[in-house]
Amino acid sequence: MSSTFGNTLKISIFGESHGAAAGGVADGFPPGEKIDEKELLKMLARRRPGQKNTTSRAESDLPEILSGVYNDQTTGTPVSVVIRNCDMYSRDYETLKNVPRPGHADYAALLRYGEAADRRGGGHFSGRLTAPLVALGAIARQILARRNIYVGAHLASVWNITDRAFDAVKLERETLLAPGEKEFPVCDDAAGLLMQRAIETAAMEGDSLGGVVECGVIGFPEGVGSPMFDRIECGLGKVLFGIPAVRGVEFGNGFAAALLKGSANNDAFCLADGNIRTATNRHGGILGGISSGMPILLRAAFKPTPSIAKEQKSVDLSLMKETTLAVGGRHDPCVAIRAVPVVEAVTSLVLLDFLLTEKPDFLR
């Protein structure tokens, strides 16, 4: 199924942007795992619409856990979560019914599903579907944290403005998790202010900006992952590309490695407290698809929000004539801001699945 991923921990996502709800089912969470509701709600609040520099759509994003949790702990049976949609303006999309929005999945959905497609707010292609991903990912993140595996992310860049990158070798828990405690998720607050000003300017111009989210993982055991197609990058890449608006994913040095000589890109092995580690970490904690014991580092690039108020060219499908449109309604001027906890959630779910599949004893 296209909206399901995972091996031992299987995740299914359902719903539409303007349907009754968005939800998810996780089959495979181990039993007896305590759920910290405050932490779960805190992670969802970071993704919630209506914050500064985000869409004005006002959703409470309060999750209803329908099964799989009893007395605040997992039972071992499927965990199902529903997040109700309460603030939809479907009428905003009536004028777009016959005119596909450039950069959106409107036309592709029509090609794939015909007139049966629910295109209100993007339907099942909407970023709204990341809400249940974050809810389930928050549970996975808590399970990992109890084993001293920590997942955190920050807004690495917006447009041409960059934040301070995570230290690839000596990444500390406090540094990793600090951006998630802030109103604007960056390491360098000065850079964050410049990003916010650029986003506000773009919004006033009826435009939008793209951004990059960097995610780090520390404490993940070495020796996890399998060649060729069950590499850690394969598992993460597949699901990260499932996040709406993601257009690129890289690990470690990523594409920058292609600009280096081997002598400059290789990470020399060394001893650190009796453990074999690398002096640098251009490989991003993954070699041959297998975790090396170094921090896992990845980046996901998000395109600018395609729904913009500036006039764009399109085609009226009912008349088969070229036309123009300016998209109204409520849209994020930069989706990457709210994507930070989504990347954390996806990374947590995928890495927990790897551990449950390959190293189940590690979780006992």
Side-chain angles (χ1 to χ4, degrees), residues 148-161:
N148 296 315
I149 302 170
Y150 299 99
V151 180
H154 70 115
L155 195 54
S157 66
V158 168
W159 195 33
N160 59 0
I161 305 163

Side-chain angles (χ1 to χ4, degrees), residues 62-86:
L62 294 176
E64 298 175 47
I65 300 179
L66 304 180
S67 66
V69 176
Y70 181 67
N71 288 335
D72 297 325
Q73 64 179 6
T74 57
T75 64
T77 59
V79 174
S80 57
V81 178
V82 168
I83 299 175
R84 305 286 176 181
N85 294 327
C86 303

Side-chain angles (χ1 to χ4, degrees), residues 253 256-258 260-267 280 282-283:
N253 256 25
L260 300 176
K261 293 180 178 179
S263 55
N265 187 63
N266 290 345
D267 298 306
T280 52
R282 300 182 186 94
H283 67 283

Side-chain angles (χ1 to χ4, degrees), residues 46-47 52-55 153-159 161 184-186 195 199 208-214 243-246 300-306 332-344:
R46 293 166 57 203
R47 194 221 71 94
K52 184 181 179 183
N53 291 316
T54 71
T55 172
H154 70 115
L155 195 54
S157 66
V158 168
W159 195 33
I161 305 163
F184 197 78
V186 291
M195 292 178 186
I199 293 167
S208 62
L209 298 176
V212 174
V213 174
E214 181 181 44
I243 301 172
V246 168
F302 289 79
K303 69 181 181 182
T305 313
D332 288 89
C334 178
V335 297
I337 302 172
R338 294 198 292 132
V340 172
V342 182
V343 173
E344 292 176 356

Side-chain angles (χ1 to χ4, degrees), residues 46-117:
R46 293 166 57 203
R47 194 221 71 94
R48 183 175 55 81
Q51 304 173 68
K52 184 181 179 183
N53 291 316
T54 71
T55 172
S56 60
R57 179 171 176 173
E59 297 281 3
S60 62
D61 277 4
L62 294 176
E64 298 175 47
I65 300 179
L66 304 180
S67 66
V69 176
Y70 181 67
N71 288 335
D72 297 325
Q73 64 179 6
T74 57
T75 64
T77 59
V79 174
S80 57
V81 178
V82 168
I83 299 175
R84 305 286 176 181
N85 294 327
C86 303
D87 188 30
M88 304 90 73
Y89 290 176
S90 297
R91 63 180 179 272
D92 289 343
Y93 295 89
E94 285 301 314
T95 57
L96 303 174
K97 186 175 181 180
N98 294 313
V99 183
R101 294 168 292 173
H104 266 283
D106 295 347
Y107 182 60
L110 187 65
L111 293 174
R112 177 68 175 83
Y113 301 109
E115 292 297 334

Side-chain angles (χ1 to χ4, degrees), residues 301-320:
F302 289 79
K303 69 181 181 182
T305 313
S307 287
I308 57 176
K310 278 193 171 184
E311 193 172 84
Q312 303 175 82
K313 292 182 178 181
S314 186
V315 172
D316 187 317
L317 302 178
S318 62
L319 302 175
M320 287 304 291

Side-chain angles (χ1 to χ4, degrees), residues 130 133 238-247 300 302 339 342-343 346:
T130 61
L133 261 181
K238 174 182 177 180
V239 188
L240 286 164
F241 274 115
I243 301 172
V246 168
R247 302 306 297 161
F302 289 79
V342 182
V343 173
V346 162

